[in-house]
Amino acid sequence: MVVSEGLVLSRKANSYQLNRLVIGAIVLAGVSVFAETGLADSKKKLALVPLAQVQIQDEFWAPRMKTCREITLPYCFNICEQTGRISNFAKAAGQMEGAFEGIWFNDSDVYKVLQGAAYELGLKADPKLDELTDAVIAKIAAAQQPDGYLYCFFTIDNANQRFKNIYSNARHELYCMGHMIEAGAVHHRITGKRNMLDVASKLADHIDSVFGPGKQMMVPEHQELELALIELYRVTDQTRYLKLAQFFIDQRGNVEGHKLYGSYSQDHAPVRQQSEIVGHAVRAMYNCVGMADLYLETGDEELLAALHRLWQSTTHRKMYVTGGVGATARGEAFGPDYDLPNATGYSETCAQIGLALWAHRMLLIEPHAEYADVMERVLYNGFLSGLSLSGTKFFYQNRLAANGDYRREPWYSCACCPSNVVRIYPQIGRFVYAFDDRSVYVNLYAAGKAHLKVGGTDVSLTQQTSYPWDGKVRLMIAPEQATSFDLYLRIPGWCRDAETPGGLYRTGKASDVAVAINGQKLQGPTLDRGYLRLNRKWQAGDTIELDLPMPIERVRAHSKVAADRDRVALQRGPIVYCVEAVDHDAAVHQMFLPPDAELVAHHRTDLLGGVTVIRGKAAVRMGDSDGRLPVDLLAIPYYAWDNRAGGAMTVWLAEDPEQVQPVPRPTIASRAKVSVSHCNRNDEPAALNDQIEPPNSHDLSIPRHTWWSHLGSKEWVQYDLDEPATVDRVEVYWFDDRDTGGCWVPDSWRLLYRDGVTFKPVTGASTYTADVDKYNRVTFNPVTTNALRIEVQLRKGRSGGILEWRMGEAGRHRR
C-alpha cells in the first residue's frame, strides 16, 4: 500500500481499487458510512489539493511561512524543552526523575508543535526536522502505558485519577489525547511512518474501551477528541473510531448517562438542537469543526441544519470585523448578540483558528463564497495578528483597541495559541483551492502553483498576483490535454457586496469586477454562490485576468453593536486597518476622522516587512471649545500592530468629534512626572495623569495603573512637579475590578508631600475615602512642594490600582 497525502491505492484482484483517504476534512464522491446510520452515499463534496501539490510563491504568505518554518517552529520546540513539556514524557516513561512541570494540559502543546512539524515535512524534506520529530515521538511512545493510556500529568503524580476529572476539577485529559491522536494521524498521512500513528491508535483503542454506550457516558469537557478520532478513521479505515467520535458528538447535551456541564462547553442541549453559539469560544469552534467532519462522513442533514444555524449565530451577529470571535474575557467566551467590545474584546487566537478551520469545512461541504469570505477575513487579520513579524512573540488575545497596556509575549504558561499557530502556517496552501471530478474552485488568491487531477486529467494552475495589496490576478491554466471543466473564481465579499451576510458590517457599495480570458473581456459576468463560473474546454496556455478593485472602504457595524456606533473601520481589499500611537503625536483615542476626509493608499516597502498604508487627515478636539487640530493619519494593517514600540491602538474611529473626548488643557497634574512603587507590565503609570475621564471604576477600555500582582502590600505613586506649587486638594479615582479580577479599592491611604529631602503627611486632611465610581476628594492645609506621594495599604490578598489622580493649586478652581 502506497501512502501519500493524496489517495491510497491497494492492489486487489489484479486491478486498482480506489480507497478513501480523506485529506483533512475532505470526502470524495461515494462515501461509505457505517451501517448504523442507515445512509448510503452522501452528497458529493469538494476535495482540496494535497499539501505538497500547492506551492505558495508570493511576497505575502511565502515569507511568513518561511518565518514559521525557520524561526517559530524551532522556537516552539526549544520552549517546550526548556519548560519541561517534553521532559514530562521522559518522566512519565520512567526515564528520568522529577515531578510534572507546568500546567496539566501541557502535553497538548507538544502534540500541536509536532503536527506543525509534520505539515512542514509535507512541504519540504528536512532530515534534521524529521530526526527531531522522531526523537520527541520516541519519548511520547515510551510514556504510553501498557493499556494505551497516555497523559503525563496523571501518569507522573496521580495515576489513580485517570478519567476521574472529566468535569469536576477538569484537567483536559481527553483534550490532550485528542491533540495526540490528530497529530499522529497527520504525521502518518504526511510521512507514511507508523511510529506516532501506532501510539495514537493504541490510545484511541483505550479510550474506546472506557467510553461509549454501556461504559462511561461522559463527553470531553474541551472539544478536540471528536475531530481527531475522525482524522484517525480517515487514515486507518477503522470504523470504530468514527463510531466513537459520533458517540461523543451525539452525547454532548444528552442528559442520558451523564450530568450536563452546561453551555460553557456546549453541553447544554444536543448539538442537533442548538441554534445559538455560546460558551467558551475555542470549544465552540472545535465543536462545530467536529460536527462538520461528522457530516462530511455521514451526510447527516440534521447536523448540517444545526451547523447552518450556528454559523449564522457566529458570523452574522458575534464576529469582529477582523474575524475574531469570543468577545468576553470571562470564560474566554461568546457574549450576547452584537456584544463586541473593542478594548476588552478577547478574540483568542485559538478561537480564530477554529473559525477558519470551520469555515474551510463548510466550504468543502457546500461551496459558497460566504464561507471563503470568513476564512479570508480571519486569515488576513485575526489569525495573522497572533504572531509577531519576528516569529517569536505572540498575542493570546486580539483586542481591537488598546492603551499601551497590552503587548505581545514571548510565550505563555498556557501556550495553546503559540503552539496552534505553527500548525496553521504550513497549511495556507490547502485553503487556496478545492476541486471535484468536474470543477476547480479558486477560493483565495496568492501567487504560486498548484497541480491537481480533474476528471482524470492532470491540470496545472499558476497564479501571478500581488494580492492582498493589489487586486489584479493572472491565472494560467495548463491541462495535460485539452479538457472541459468548470472553473469557479471567488469574487470576495468585500468586492461583491455592500454588506456582510446578516448585515453585521457594511461598506459603501459593491465594486465592478473585470474578467478577461485570453485577452477577451467578458461582458456582464454573473455569479453563482459568490463565484464566477467559467465553463469551457481548457487547454495549455489559457490565461484568465481578474481585476478586483481595492478602494479604501469605511466599514460600519450594525447599529446594535454599541461599541462601534457612529464609528468606522478602514478596510482595503481583505485587510482591516488600525491606527497606532507610534505613528501619531496625538492620542489615537482622541482622534476622529471627518466623513469628507480624503484617504489614499500607499505601499511602503520599508515599513513592517512591506505594507500598504492608508494616509489622510484626521483631527482632535481641543479643550472645551469647538476648535480642531489637524492630525496626519497613518493607518497600518491590523495584523502588524505592536511590532514596534508599545502604545495605544484602535481599529474603530469616530467620524463625529462629539464622540471623542477633547484634548484637555494641561494641568499641574498632567505636567507632573509619574513614578510608582510597582506597576503591572500590562498597565502604565502614565494613566494616572492622562486626563482620560473614567466611566466607572471597573472600566477596562481606558489606561490604568495597577500594583498587580502585589497583594496586601504597602505601595505608593508619586508626582514630581516641574516647579514648586502650592497645593490644597487631590482627587483619586480608584480602579476596582473585583467582579472579574483581583484589584480592589485599598484598605487605607494617605497623602504625603516632599519637604526638602523627606516626605511628610499633609495636615488638616479631610476623610480619606475609597469609594468606587467617583473621584475621592481630599482637602488639606496648603503645602508648597515639588512632589506629592500617595501611600496605600492594599487589602489582604488583594491588589489595587488608580485610573486618574488630579490635584488642585490653592486659590485656583482649575484642578
Side-chain angles (χ1 to χ4, degrees):
M1 183 175 291
V2 181
V3 181
S4 70
E5 208 194 0
L7 303 175
V8 173
L9 296 177
S10 61
R11 183 76 175 181
K12 289 186 178 181
N14 297 317
S15 65
Y16 284 103
Q17 177 182 344
L18 185 62
N19 291 336
R20 283 191 312 100
L21 176 62
V22 184
I23 306 164
I26 312 156
V27 176
L28 299 179
V31 177
S32 59
V33 183
F34 55 92
E36 286 87 327
T37 63
L39 294 173
D41 293 344
S42 66
K43 292 189 298 185
K44 196 169 191 177
K45 315 302 188 305
L46 292 182
L48 53 81
V49 183
L51 188 66
Q53 291 174 219
V54 181
Q55 294 87 45
I56 300 295
Q57 300 167 330
D58 69 346
E59 296 179 357
F60 188 85
W61 285 112
R64 288 163 173 79
M65 294 170 70
K66 182 180 179 183
T67 296
C68 182
R69 180 188 184 91
E70 297 180 357
I71 297 176
T72 311
L73 181 62
Y75 179 82
C76 287
F77 266 121
N78 289 336
I79 294 291
C80 284
E81 187 65 62
Q82 294 169 15
T83 57
R85 284 170 166 82
I86 293 176
S87 62
N88 279 335
F89 290 98
K91 294 172 185 176
Q95 297 174 345
M96 63 183 292
E97 298 293 326
F100 180 90
E101 293 185 65
I103 298 178
W104 49 85
F105 50 83
N106 273 358
D107 291 9
S108 63
D109 297 326
V110 179
Y111 301 142
K112 283 185 282 185
V113 173
L114 284 172
Q115 186 177 344
Y119 283 129
E120 294 289 2
L121 291 171
L123 291 176
K124 180 182 178 182
D126 187 333
K128 289 185 177 180
L129 178 59
D130 194 22
E131 183 180 355
L132 171 61
T133 300
D134 282 348
V136 176
I137 292 172
K139 291 183 180 180
I140 293 170
Q144 187 167 38
Q145 301 304 290
D147 61 358
Y149 184 86
L150 179 57
Y151 181 61
C152 291
F153 181 70
F154 287 151
T155 299
I156 294 173
D157 297 324
N158 304 280
N160 63 340
Q161 293 298 305
R162 285 186 179 194
F163 299 129
K164 293 182 180 179
N165 298 268
I166 305 299
Y167 278 174
S168 177
N169 198 29
R171 289 292 181 262
H172 288 356
E173 196 172 4
L174 292 173
Y175 165 79
C176 287
M177 293 177 177
H179 274 300
M180 193 282 146
I181 291 169
E182 184 183 9
V186 168
H187 181 261
H188 171 67
R189 184 180 344 114
I190 297 290
T191 68
K193 296 182 179 181
R194 295 196 59 91
N195 52 345
M196 197 170 187
L197 177 66
D198 287 342
V199 178
S201 298
K202 189 175 180 180
L203 174 57
D205 290 342
H206 178 67
I207 297 170
D208 191 37
S209 72
V210 176
F211 294 88
K215 309 165 199 173
Q216 283 199 38
M217 300 286 282
M218 302 293 287
V219 297
E221 183 239 359
H222 191 310
Q223 295 88 330
E224 162 64 22
L225 179 59
E226 302 86 343
L227 66 93
L229 287 167
I230 297 173
E231 286 291 296
L232 185 61
Y233 160 66
R234 288 168 175 163
V235 299
T236 64
D237 263 341
Q238 295 298 311
T239 304
R240 64 182 180 277
Y241 302 138
L242 180 59
K243 288 183 178 180
L244 184 58
Q246 181 162 11
F247 161 76
F248 284 130
I249 291 172
D250 286 343
Q251 184 66 3
R252 190 168 298 276
N254 187 349
V255 296
E256 182 179 350
H258 85 283
K259 181 180 179 181
L260 299 186
Y261 188 75
S263 60
Y264 182 66
S265 286
Q266 299 73 46
D267 190 29
H268 58 293
V271 295
R272 287 171 175 77
Q273 299 176 17
Q274 293 184 24
S275 297
E276 181 182 3
I277 202 77
V278 293
H280 188 273
V282 181
R283 300 174 198 213
M285 294 299 95
Y286 286 10
N287 192 55
C288 292
V289 171
M291 292 167 63
D293 278 348
L294 185 59
Y295 173 81
L296 282 162
E297 295 300 332
T298 66
D300 186 333
E301 293 296 333
E302 255 194 320
L303 274 176
L304 184 58
L307 285 166
H308 285 156
R309 295 192 300 271
L310 293 171
W311 176 265
Q312 291 182 8
S313 176
T314 304
T315 64
H316 294 194
R317 298 186 290 278
K318 298 188 181 185
M319 181 181 70
Y320 283 97
V321 70
T322 56
V325 290
T328 176
R330 177 176 288 185
E332 302 175 331
F334 285 97
D337 286 353
Y338 305 107
D339 182 26
L340 296 167
N342 294 309
T344 61
Y346 208 73
S347 290
E348 183 181 339
T349 297
C350 284
Q352 296 175 120
I353 288 172
L355 178 56
L357 295 176
W358 180 23
H360 188 227
R361 261 81 163 177
M362 296 300 291
L363 185 61
L364 297 172
I365 289 171
E366 44 185 21
H368 195 294
E370 178 181 343
Y371 302 125
D373 289 342
V374 170
M375 183 172 70
E376 180 182 70
R377 184 179 294 277
V378 174
L379 290 176
Y380 279 98
N381 300 289
F383 164 70
L384 270 183
S385 69
L387 178 65
S388 68
L389 298 179
S390 69
T392 57
K393 290 188 176 182
F394 308 88
F395 273 145
Y396 192 103
Q397 300 168 240
N398 294 272
R399 302 174 179 177
L400 274 72
N403 296 290
D405 58 339
Y406 187 62
R407 302 297 308 276
R408 297 180 186 273
E409 298 280 358
W411 196 251
Y412 297 92
S413 57
C414 173
C416 54
C417 295
S419 57
N420 220 348
V421 163
V422 296
R423 67 182 186 138
I424 301 301
Y425 270 98
Q427 296 187 72
I428 294 299
R430 68 194 321 177
F431 298 137
V432 177
Y433 300 98
F435 72 104
D436 58 25
D437 60 358
R438 61 178 182 270
S439 307
V440 175
Y441 285 79
V442 183
N443 302 311
L444 300 177
Y445 298 104
K449 298 179 179 180
H451 306 277
L452 59 154
K453 189 178 288 290
V454 184
T457 300
D458 290 326
V459 178
S460 294
L461 301 172
T462 301
Q463 279 196 52
Q464 295 176 344
T465 181
S466 295
Y467 199 91
W469 310 127
D470 191 300
K472 292 181 173 63
V473 180
R474 182 180 176 88
L475 181 65
M476 290 165 281
I477 300 94
E480 187 178 37
Q481 60 190 28
T483 185
S484 297
F485 60 86
D486 291 332
L487 181 65
Y488 289 88
L489 303 178
R490 182 179 68 97
I491 306 304
W494 50 262
C495 188
R496 185 181 70 241
D497 301 315
E499 64 179 30
T500 62
L504 185 55
Y505 300 106
R506 65 187 188 280
T507 57
K509 62 179 181 179
S511 300
D512 293 328
V513 176
V515 185
I517 300 179
N518 298 331
Q520 184 175 353
K521 187 174 181 180
L522 299 186
Q523 300 299 321
T526 57
L527 299 186
D528 179 0
R529 295 159 290 134
Y531 286 84
L532 176 63
R533 176 176 173 265
L534 303 175
N535 178 267
R536 62 184 277 134
K537 192 168 188 176
W538 301 96
Q539 54 189 347
D542 281 345
T543 300
I544 301 170
E545 292 175 299
L546 178 66
D547 189 358
L548 305 169
M550 286 187 172
I552 298 168
E553 299 284 3
R554 293 186 180 222
V555 181
R556 290 174 170 80
H558 194 287
S559 61
K560 292 183 179 179
V561 183
D564 303 333
R565 201 169 291 147
D566 300 319
R567 294 176 178 269
V568 294
L570 300 180
Q571 182 172 330
R572 182 177 181 273
I575 302 293
V576 175
Y577 283 76
C578 70
V579 292
E580 199 174 11
V582 67
D583 298 311
H584 301 89
D585 293 330
V588 299
H589 295 296
Q590 294 172 327
M591 292 167 51
F592 66 95
L593 184 63
D596 57 352
E598 182 180 356
L599 299 170
V600 295
H602 173 64
H603 194 73
R604 296 241 334 238
T605 59
D606 62 330
L607 181 67
L608 297 166
V611 294
T612 294
V613 300
I614 296 174
R615 292 186 175 278
K617 284 292 184 181
V620 294
R621 287 174 60 198
M622 298 302 298
D624 300 325
S625 69
D626 292 331
R628 300 182 181 186
L629 179 66
V631 175
D632 290 326
L633 178 137
L634 175 67
I636 65 167
Y638 167 78
Y639 72 76
W641 82 277
D642 195 40
N643 276 282
R644 297 170 290 171
M649 178 279 297
T650 188
V651 169
W652 292 92
L653 292 164
E655 289 186 306
D656 184 346
E658 295 299 321
Q659 299 299 316
V660 296
Q661 288 190 13
V663 176
R665 298 180 185 278
T667 68
I668 183 175
S670 71
R671 292 192 298 265
K673 177 183 176 182
V674 182
S675 56
V676 298
S677 58
H678 168 75
C679 185
N680 178 264
R681 68 179 306 275
N682 288 326
D683 299 322
E684 48 186 313
L688 294 169
N689 63 347
D690 62 8
Q691 298 183 278
I692 298 177
E693 291 299 309
N696 51 65
S697 287
H698 61 272
D699 187 81
L700 300 175
S701 68
I702 64 173
R704 61 190 175 276
H705 160 74
T706 75
W707 292 286
W708 182 264
S709 57
H710 289 193
L711 307 177
S713 53
K714 287 187 176 180
E715 305 290 346
W716 55 267
V717 294
Q718 181 174 317
Y719 278 165
D720 285 275
L721 310 181
D722 50 8
E723 60 183 25
T726 302
V727 184
D728 64 359
R729 61 196 180 276
V730 297
E731 295 175 313
V732 182
Y733 207 113
W734 299 106
F735 176 69
D736 187 305
D737 67 348
R738 68 183 65 193
D739 290 338
T740 58
C743 290
W744 292 39
V745 295
D747 186 62
S748 61
W749 64 287
R750 65 174 184 162
L751 184 70
L752 299 93
Y753 71 99
R754 185 156 58 199
D755 183 10
V757 295
T758 62
F759 277 91
K760 299 179 180 178
V762 297
T763 61
S766 58
T767 304
Y768 287 100
T769 59
D771 298 328
V772 297
D773 301 336
K774 60 180 289 189
Y775 279 100
N776 291 261
R777 181 184 178 96
V778 174
T779 59
F780 47 88
N781 295 328
V783 295
T784 301
T785 184
N786 62 2
L788 286 176
R789 174 179 290 187
I790 292 175
E791 287 186 351
V792 304
Q793 174 61 57
L794 300 178
R795 294 175 183 262
K796 184 178 180 180
R798 307 295 179 187
S799 191
I802 298 175
L803 292 172
E804 194 73 14
W805 170 17
R806 306 192 303 208
M807 64 174 64
E809 292 184 82
R812 293 191 183 185
H813 295 294
R814 186 178 302 276
R815 60 181 185 274

